[in-house]
PDB file of all heavy atoms in Angstrom:
ATOM      1  N   ALA A 819      74.121 -24.453  -0.763  1.00  0.00           N
ATOM      2  CA  ALA A 819      73.237 -25.596  -0.978  1.00  0.00           C
ATOM      3  C   ALA A 819      73.970 -26.788  -1.591  1.00  0.00           C
ATOM      4  O   ALA A 819      73.766 -27.925  -1.155  1.00  0.00           O
ATOM      5  CB  ALA A 819      72.059 -25.179  -1.852  1.00  0.00           C
ATOM      6  N   GLU A 820      74.806 -26.542  -2.583  1.00  0.00           N
ATOM      7  CA  GLU A 820      75.510 -27.656  -3.227  1.00  0.00           C
ATOM      8  C   GLU A 820      76.456 -28.346  -2.252  1.00  0.00           C
ATOM      9  O   GLU A 820      76.532 -29.573  -2.217  1.00  0.00           O
ATOM     10  CB  GLU A 820      76.278 -27.173  -4.458  1.00  0.00           C
ATOM     11  CG  GLU A 820      75.370 -26.880  -5.627  1.00  0.00           C
ATOM     12  CD  GLU A 820      76.142 -26.620  -6.917  1.00  0.00           C
ATOM     13  OE1 GLU A 820      77.247 -27.177  -7.083  1.00  0.00           O
ATOM     14  OE2 GLU A 820      75.618 -25.874  -7.755  1.00  0.00           O
ATOM     15  N   LEU A 821      77.156 -27.552  -1.458  1.00  0.00           N
ATOM     16  CA  LEU A 821      78.088 -28.126  -0.500  1.00  0.00           C
ATOM     17  C   LEU A 821      77.347 -28.950   0.552  1.00  0.00           C
ATOM     18  O   LEU A 821      77.776 -30.053   0.896  1.00  0.00           O
ATOM     19  CB  LEU A 821      78.935 -27.035   0.157  1.00  0.00           C
ATOM     20  CG  LEU A 821      80.004 -27.509   1.139  1.00  0.00           C
ATOM     21  CD1 LEU A 821      80.984 -28.462   0.464  1.00  0.00           C
ATOM     22  CD2 LEU A 821      80.737 -26.303   1.733  1.00  0.00           C
ATOM     23  N   LEU A 822      76.226 -28.436   1.060  1.00  0.00           N
ATOM     24  CA  LEU A 822      75.464 -29.201   2.045  1.00  0.00           C
ATOM     25  C   LEU A 822      74.916 -30.483   1.419  1.00  0.00           C
ATOM     26  O   LEU A 822      75.006 -31.559   2.009  1.00  0.00           O
ATOM     27  CB  LEU A 822      74.325 -28.384   2.641  1.00  0.00           C
ATOM     28  CG  LEU A 822      73.422 -29.162   3.620  1.00  0.00           C
ATOM     29  CD1 LEU A 822      74.231 -29.745   4.788  1.00  0.00           C
ATOM     30  CD2 LEU A 822      72.286 -28.274   4.130  1.00  0.00           C
ATOM     31  N   ALA A 823      74.347 -30.383   0.232  1.00  0.00           N
ATOM     32  CA  ALA A 823      73.782 -31.572  -0.428  1.00  0.00           C
ATOM     33  C   ALA A 823      74.864 -32.635  -0.638  1.00  0.00           C
ATOM     34  O   ALA A 823      74.634 -33.825  -0.370  1.00  0.00           O
ATOM     35  CB  ALA A 823      73.135 -31.182  -1.751  1.00  0.00           C
ATOM     36  N   ASP A 824      76.026 -32.216  -1.110  1.00  0.00           N
ATOM     37  CA  ASP A 824      77.112 -33.177  -1.325  1.00  0.00           C
ATOM     38  C   ASP A 824      77.599 -33.764  -0.001  1.00  0.00           C
ATOM     39  O   ASP A 824      77.895 -34.963   0.089  1.00  0.00           O
ATOM     40  CB  ASP A 824      78.270 -32.521  -2.073  1.00  0.00           C
ATOM     41  CG  ASP A 824      77.946 -32.241  -3.530  1.00  0.00           C
ATOM     42  OD1 ASP A 824      76.960 -32.797  -4.051  1.00  0.00           O
ATOM     43  OD2 ASP A 824      78.687 -31.453  -4.156  1.00  0.00           O
ATOM     44  N   THR A 825      77.667 -32.931   1.037  1.00  0.00           N
ATOM     45  CA  THR A 825      78.106 -33.403   2.350  1.00  0.00           C
ATOM     46  C   THR A 825      77.111 -34.424   2.912  1.00  0.00           C
ATOM     47  O   THR A 825      77.510 -35.475   3.418  1.00  0.00           O
ATOM     48  CB  THR A 825      78.276 -32.223   3.320  1.00  0.00           C
ATOM     49  OG1 THR A 825      79.212 -31.285   2.751  1.00  0.00           O
ATOM     50  CG2 THR A 825      78.792 -32.669   4.671  1.00  0.00           C
ATOM     51  N   LEU A 826      75.819 -34.123   2.794  1.00  0.00           N
ATOM     52  CA  LEU A 826      74.799 -35.057   3.264  1.00  0.00           C
ATOM     53  C   LEU A 826      74.837 -36.365   2.467  1.00  0.00           C
ATOM     54  O   LEU A 826      74.706 -37.454   3.029  1.00  0.00           O
ATOM     55  CB  LEU A 826      73.411 -34.427   3.181  1.00  0.00           C
ATOM     56  CG  LEU A 826      73.110 -33.316   4.190  1.00  0.00           C
ATOM     57  CD1 LEU A 826      71.788 -32.634   3.851  1.00  0.00           C
ATOM     58  CD2 LEU A 826      73.103 -33.848   5.617  1.00  0.00           C
ATOM     59  N   SER A 827      75.023 -36.251   1.163  1.00  0.00           N
ATOM     60  CA  SER A 827      75.086 -37.452   0.312  1.00  0.00           C
ATOM     61  C   SER A 827      76.273 -38.333   0.688  1.00  0.00           C
ATOM     62  O   SER A 827      76.137 -39.554   0.806  1.00  0.00           O
ATOM     63  CB  SER A 827      75.190 -37.059  -1.165  1.00  0.00           C
ATOM     64  OG  SER A 827      74.010 -36.436  -1.586  1.00  0.00           O
ATOM     65  N   LEU A 828      77.427 -37.712   0.867  1.00  0.00           N
ATOM     66  CA  LEU A 828      78.614 -38.483   1.248  1.00  0.00           C
ATOM     67  C   LEU A 828      78.483 -39.065   2.651  1.00  0.00           C
ATOM     68  O   LEU A 828      78.936 -40.187   2.903  1.00  0.00           O
ATOM     69  CB  LEU A 828      79.867 -37.623   1.124  1.00  0.00           C
ATOM     70  CG  LEU A 828      80.282 -37.296  -0.315  1.00  0.00           C
ATOM     71  CD1 LEU A 828      81.442 -36.301  -0.328  1.00  0.00           C
ATOM     72  CD2 LEU A 828      80.650 -38.555  -1.074  1.00  0.00           C
ATOM     73  N   LEU A 829      77.839 -38.321   3.544  1.00  0.00           N
ATOM     74  CA  LEU A 829      77.595 -38.836   4.888  1.00  0.00           C
ATOM     75  C   LEU A 829      76.704 -40.077   4.817  1.00  0.00           C
ATOM     76  O   LEU A 829      76.977 -41.088   5.471  1.00  0.00           O
ATOM     77  CB  LEU A 829      76.937 -37.759   5.763  1.00  0.00           C
ATOM     78  CG  LEU A 829      76.579 -38.175   7.187  1.00  0.00           C
ATOM     79  CD1 LEU A 829      77.832 -38.527   7.986  1.00  0.00           C
ATOM     80  CD2 LEU A 829      75.797 -37.052   7.870  1.00  0.00           C
ATOM     81  N   LEU A 830      75.667 -40.019   4.001  1.00  0.00           N
ATOM     82  CA  LEU A 830      74.771 -41.163   3.844  1.00  0.00           C
ATOM     83  C   LEU A 830      75.499 -42.354   3.228  1.00  0.00           C
ATOM     84  O   LEU A 830      75.376 -43.484   3.713  1.00  0.00           O
ATOM     85  CB  LEU A 830      73.554 -40.773   2.996  1.00  0.00           C
ATOM     86  CG  LEU A 830      72.557 -41.895   2.692  1.00  0.00           C
ATOM     87  CD1 LEU A 830      72.027 -42.526   3.977  1.00  0.00           C
ATOM     88  CD2 LEU A 830      71.423 -41.358   1.827  1.00  0.00           C
ATOM     89  N   LEU A 856      74.750 -30.878  10.649  1.00  0.00           N
ATOM     90  CA  LEU A 856      75.207 -30.235   9.414  1.00  0.00           C
ATOM     91  C   LEU A 856      74.182 -29.206   8.910  1.00  0.00           C
ATOM     92  O   LEU A 856      74.540 -28.091   8.545  1.00  0.00           O
ATOM     93  CB  LEU A 856      75.456 -31.275   8.324  1.00  0.00           C
ATOM     94  CG  LEU A 856      76.729 -32.091   8.434  1.00  0.00           C
ATOM     95  CD1 LEU A 856      76.684 -33.282   7.505  1.00  0.00           C
ATOM     96  CD2 LEU A 856      77.943 -31.213   8.133  1.00  0.00           C
ATOM     97  N   PHE A 860      74.957 -25.267   8.500  1.00  0.00           N
ATOM     98  CA  PHE A 860      74.863 -24.594   7.214  1.00  0.00           C
ATOM     99  C   PHE A 860      73.774 -23.525   7.230  1.00  0.00           C
ATOM    100  O   PHE A 860      73.926 -22.483   6.611  1.00  0.00           O
ATOM    101  CB  PHE A 860      74.588 -25.597   6.079  1.00  0.00           C
ATOM    102  CG  PHE A 860      75.817 -26.215   5.518  1.00  0.00           C
ATOM    103  CD1 PHE A 860      76.474 -27.246   6.164  1.00  0.00           C
ATOM    104  CD2 PHE A 860      76.344 -25.768   4.307  1.00  0.00           C
ATOM    105  CE1 PHE A 860      77.606 -27.825   5.630  1.00  0.00           C
ATOM    106  CE2 PHE A 860      77.490 -26.342   3.764  1.00  0.00           C
ATOM    107  CZ  PHE A 860      78.122 -27.369   4.441  1.00  0.00           C
TER     108      PHE A 860
END
Side-chain angles (χ1 to χ4, degrees):
E820 286 189 30
L821 183 58
L822 176 58
D824 289 345
T825 303
L826 289 171
S827 293
L828 289 173
L829 178 64
L830 177 57
L856 284 166
F860 274 78

